[in-house]
Amino acid sequence: MYGADAGVLEIEKAAIEQLAPAVQELSYVASSELPTPWATFGIHVFVEAATGKEHLMLTLGDVNNGEPVLARVHSECLTGDALFSQRCDCGAQLETAIKAIATEGRGALLYMRQEGRGIGLVNKIRAYQLQDAGADTVEANEQLGFPADMRRYDLCKPMLDHFGIASLRLMTNNPRKVSTLESLGVPVVERIPIQVNRNPFNENYLSTKAAKLGHWLKEHL
């Protein structure tokens, strides 16, 4: 298992208990096919009743056969995922994960609508402005009055349950994703690093992830 220490897990459990009513309001809505350059995935949409946010899940192959599933939990990043921003590694991680699942022929990608580590697109661009003036990503969020990271991973549990996915081989560098999922009863039997697209524009971003958020990142790729 790839978990955190007991103190971190207790904090995660307390947060999950506080958010439990919202989790129960996540509803499955519809499914279709999504052809991509690498494979044709199933695409499934869930709606969070309290906020109206629409979370997506891509699946490929038989994901409920009891075997651990190759998976990525990916938080929305319009600038990186759709506009090819080099300020982060998000778009490259998304493409790498989709390709890996396609190559394996089986897996799941959860696309969570929590832009800018949960602060939303407008505040994310405000944070960019502060970063342009010298703040790092954590300092920028805090200067705007937000925690360093407001993302939720408890919402993943009902999405995984809907498809009978019991355990994961998780593509991530983020210890908080792992500890939250495991505290929810979703074993992460393997953590697969997904360190891609380090470049001069995101060097400070990645270094801050490692130094202040504890992400498992090597200094050089």
Side-chain angles (χ1 to χ4, degrees):
M1 297 294 183
Y2 291 84
D5 61 36
V8 172
L9 288 177
E10 286 304 316
I11 293 170
E12 294 288 353
K13 288 177 181 177
I16 290 161
E17 288 172 1
Q18 292 176 355
L19 295 170
V23 172
Q24 294 170 5
E25 294 176 5
L26 187 72
S27 301
Y28 164 78
V29 178
S31 297
S32 186
E33 291 188 347
L34 183 71
T36 75
W38 310 287
T40 296
F41 291 81
I43 184 169
H44 319 279
V45 63
F46 297 78
V47 174
E48 191 179 342
T51 64
K53 286 185 178 180
E54 301 154 334
H55 304 284
L56 299 173
M57 187 166 176
L58 302 186
T59 58
L60 184 65
D62 185 2
V63 295
N64 67 348
N65 64 3
E67 294 295 320
V69 172
L70 179 65
R72 165 81 179 157
V73 175
H74 189 88
S75 296
E76 178 182 30
C77 176
L78 177 68
T79 49
D81 297 343
L83 300 177
F84 315 108
S85 171
Q86 297 299 289
R87 296 183 71 132
C88 62
D89 55 349
C90 303
Q93 287 184 321
L94 178 62
E95 183 174 337
T96 298
I98 291 175
K99 286 180 177 179
I101 292 168
T103 298
E104 182 142 321
R106 177 176 178 268
L109 185 138
L110 286 71
Y111 195 85
M112 311 304 293
R113 305 297 298 277
Q114 41 192 4
E115 179 77 52
R117 294 182 187 156
I119 67 175
L121 181 60
V122 170
N123 285 318
K124 174 180 171 178
I125 304 306
R126 288 174 175 155
Y128 277 0
Q129 189 174 32
L130 293 171
Q131 291 164 35
D132 292 343
D136 65 34
T137 54
V138 169
E139 292 166 347
N141 273 27
E142 292 174 343
Q143 287 175 28
L144 290 171
F146 299 108
D149 191 344
M150 293 178 62
R151 289 175 294 177
R152 293 174 54 182
Y153 302 114
D154 57 301
L155 291 170
C156 300
K157 180 65 161 62
M159 297 170 73
L160 295 168
D161 287 348
H162 183 83
F163 291 96
I165 297 174
S167 61
L168 303 177
R169 297 167 50 228
L170 190 64
M171 292 180 277
T172 188
N173 306 319
N174 186 346
R176 185 164 164 255
K177 286 182 188 178
V178 175
S179 63
T180 300
L181 290 168
E182 291 197 326
S183 68
L184 287 163
V186 182
V188 177
V189 301
E190 180 183 6
R191 184 188 73 85
I192 300 170
I194 184 165
Q195 193 168 345
V196 290
N197 193 37
R198 195 173 196 125
N199 66 72
F201 299 101
N202 67 22
E203 180 68 36
N204 186 55
Y205 164 86
L206 293 174
S207 297
T208 301
K209 271 188 173 183
K212 294 191 174 181
L213 299 176
H215 286 214
W216 294 303
L217 290 169
K218 295 180 180 179
E219 184 176 353
H220 301 290
L221 298 179

